[in-house]
């Protein structure tokens, strides 16, 4: 499954205690990859600039529903999709 959301910057997500870490440059310019390691969920993420905001896509198992709930509690718009969905 995957969780998709936007944020204004890296700091608002990195400093939120949600487990986002190990950010490194991706294959193309302005794309980043990393891991999400939290006691309630884990996965990997891709992040890139989408206009004035960052687009985050987190891949993992069903425990990401808890991450989606935590992001929604912070006021972010979150989409949860199966891996086969676009």
């Amino acid at each position: 499954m995957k969780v998709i959301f936007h944020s204004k910057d890296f700091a608002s997500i990195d400093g939120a205690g949600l487990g986002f870490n190990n950010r490194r440059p991706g294959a193309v310019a302005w794309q980043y990859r990393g891991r999400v390691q939290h006691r309630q969920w884990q996965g990997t993420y891709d992040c890139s600039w989408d206009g004035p905001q960052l687009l985050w896509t987190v891949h993992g198992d069903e425990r990401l529903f808890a991450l989606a709930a935590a992001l929604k509690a912070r006021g972010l718009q979150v989409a949860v999709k199966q891996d086969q969905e676009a």
Side-chain angles (χ1 to χ4, degrees):
M1 76 178 304
K2 57 188 169 184
V3 173
I4 302 166
F5 65 98
H6 284 90
S7 73
K8 296 177 191 173
D9 55 22
F10 289 111
S12 63
I13 301 302
D14 290 345
L18 299 172
F20 286 80
N21 59 38
N22 294 42
R23 185 174 63 237
R24 62 195 179 286
V28 296
W30 303 107
Q31 180 184 29
Y32 301 92
R33 294 181 169 207
R35 283 183 267 170
V36 181
Q37 297 172 310
H38 189 272
R39 61 183 169 84
Q40 293 180 320
W41 55 78
Q42 64 183 0
T44 60
Y45 71 83
D46 296 311
C47 179
S48 61
W49 287 100
D50 182 26
Q53 295 186 326
L54 289 164
L55 173 64
W56 301 76
T57 304
V58 182
H59 301 272
D61 60 18
E62 66 277 353
R63 292 179 289 174
L64 290 183
F65 280 116
L67 171 61
L71 291 166
K72 285 182 181 181
R74 295 189 179 285
L76 297 170
Q77 295 288 335
V78 179
V80 178
K81 299 185 177 189
Q82 294 298 320
D83 288 327
Q84 297 82 5
E85 294 181 55

